Amino acid sequence: MRIFRGFHHPGIAPASAVTIGNFDGVHRGHQAMLALLNSEARHRGVPSCVLTFEPHPRDYFARVARKPELAPARIATLRDKLSELAACGVGQCVVLPFDARLSSQAPQTFIDQVLVNGLGARYVLVGDDFRFGARRAGDYAMLDAAGQRQGFDVARMNSYEVHNMRVSSSAVREALARGDMDGTAALLGRPYSISGHAVHGRKLGRELGFPTVNLRFSHWKPAASGIFAVQVDGLADHPLPGVANLGIRPSLDPNDVNGGRVLLETHCLEWPGHLGLEGAYGKIIRVDLLHKLHDELKYDSLEALRAGIARDCDEARAYFASTRRQTTRDRI
């Protein structure tokens, strides 16, 4: 998949089949929409194109209003969103900065400048609740009428349901907030995961006897938080079980080198010996959050923190043992 920041680039396709949205999480509803988009793109002999935004429009308006509570919890980082879009077979992705200019753009101007002139839209697919342009004045009817005048097809996809429940980014956020990782996986069609380059931390876990591999979550408001039993890919030739803390680490002091940033700290229960203590840094890893153990806790001392981590490791081992027993029973 080719990725562009904006559409003023020589390598961008002169014509495309386009869908528009935030695609936070790339859940099963998104996946169904992208499958249809790819089919329509092949039929027309053009690449499929996802037009998405960074920051999320609601992030922008929350910042303008100085009301951070209005910003949506973020399911996925931009990196993970792009990775999942590529896995769905999208040909190109255009990331537009959502700013004052874009937020004030009239709907017809958006159609003319972005869809027609910028992306050469031959086909535009939107969701059933799609709105666009300043004050969300643009809707499906306006887009469809413009398509008939300006020579591109427009289609609308109805909601996607699983077990009579509408699949949406909001539903994924709610499942993550409850700590329902099985429900989240059902909505996503895969385990909930976070990926990125392993970064340095304060190395307190190493001092406590529980070395961690750390990923930054590049948004201040993650949809999930707490302590999880996890599976790690990218450190060995097989997935590694682990226990992870996703959040702001309330037990740490201001000297934490990642202070103020959301961090996913993962202790592998089976650390690969060939890596030593430094071999993970800089590697791209993926951590699947499989089961939530509890919310983040604040410990009053390092000894209490050490004991808490040990309990979490025991609970994670118990979870993996029960999962293996269930898998064995299912095979019998």
Side-chain angles (χ1 to χ4, degrees):
M1 182 178 76
R2 305 192 72 184
I3 300 168
F4 300 93
R5 290 275 189 170
F7 47 81
H8 299 294
H9 300 280
I12 202 164
S16 60
V18 183
T19 190
I20 309 163
N22 295 301
F23 290 91
D24 192 15
V26 193
H27 54 63
R28 291 174 68 179
H30 293 145
Q31 293 162 31
M33 177 174 279
L34 295 171
L36 175 57
L37 180 74
N38 288 333
S39 175
E40 294 289 345
R42 285 192 298 270
H43 178 69
R44 289 165 173 79
V46 297
S48 57
C49 175
V50 167
L51 176 64
T52 191
F53 310 98
E54 188 65 30
H56 192 294
R58 285 168 57 196
D59 276 351
Y60 169 78
F61 289 117
R63 186 166 61 250
V64 169
R66 297 182 180 179
K67 294 183 177 180
E69 67 274 12
L70 298 180
R74 186 66 64 90
I75 299 168
T77 62
L78 179 60
R79 175 195 180 88
D80 283 338
K81 175 167 70 172
L82 294 174
S83 176
E84 291 300 332
L85 290 174
C88 289
V90 173
Q92 72 178 19
C93 181
V94 174
V95 183
L96 284 187
F98 196 90
D99 52 19
R101 185 196 61 80
L102 189 61
S103 70
S104 62
Q105 195 171 57
Q108 187 59 50
T109 303
F110 177 85
I111 292 170
D112 295 341
Q113 294 187 359
V114 178
L115 295 181
V116 176
N117 296 332
L119 302 177
R122 298 291 181 267
Y123 170 87
V124 179
L125 176 64
V126 296
D128 56 2
D129 56 354
F130 179 70
R131 308 286 298 207
F132 67 103
R135 295 179 295 280
R136 293 170 54 84
D139 58 11
Y140 175 78
M142 177 186 289
L143 186 62
D144 188 43
Q148 293 181 52
R149 292 193 311 271
Q150 296 176 254
F152 58 88
D153 296 326
V154 179
R156 175 169 54 186
M157 187 167 178
N158 292 327
S159 299
Y160 187 88
E161 294 187 356
V162 173
H163 304 309
N164 297 317
M165 180 176 66
R166 182 176 184 271
V167 179
S168 66
S169 295
S170 294
V172 176
R173 292 185 188 104
E174 291 166 5
L176 288 171
R178 294 193 304 270
D180 180 4
M181 306 314 292
D182 289 338
T184 299
L187 293 167
L188 296 178
R190 63 184 186 278
Y192 177 64
S193 64
I194 297 170
S195 72
H197 288 88
V199 300
H200 288 273
R202 186 184 165 194
K203 299 181 175 59
L204 179 61
R206 187 183 302 183
E207 296 175 23
L208 296 174
F210 301 96
T212 61
V213 57
N214 308 317
L215 300 179
R216 289 180 184 142
F217 188 90
S218 56
H219 192 269
W220 65 275
K221 191 177 181 181
S225 65
I227 314 302
F228 299 85
V230 303
Q231 183 171 276
V232 183
D233 280 286
L235 292 177
D237 57 4
H238 60 280
L240 301 173
V243 60
N245 184 116
L246 174 60
I248 58 172
R249 306 165 308 287
S251 296
L252 297 190
D253 64 35
N255 294 322
D256 177 15
V257 297
N258 290 290
R261 291 173 171 168
V262 178
L263 205 66
L264 178 66
E265 298 176 302
T266 302
H267 171 66
C268 294
L269 300 175
E270 302 169 3
W271 184 255
H274 70 278
L275 289 177
L277 290 176
E278 304 292 329
Y281 295 121
K283 287 184 175 293
I284 297 176
I285 65 171
R286 189 188 79 238
V287 181
D288 296 340
L289 282 64
L290 303 179
H291 174 71
K292 184 169 181 177
L293 302 177
H294 57 79
D295 290 333
E296 280 193 292
L297 299 174
K298 182 173 177 60
Y299 295 98
D300 294 331
S301 67
L302 290 182
E303 282 306 314
L305 176 59
R306 179 187 285 112
I309 297 173
R311 286 193 299 271
D312 294 338
C313 290
D314 289 342
E315 288 189 35
R317 289 188 182 94
Y319 164 77
F320 287 113
S322 66
T323 301
R324 285 193 294 271
R325 286 195 297 270
Q326 183 61 51
T327 300
T328 300
R329 284 196 294 267
D330 291 342
R331 289 174 178 169
I332 295 176

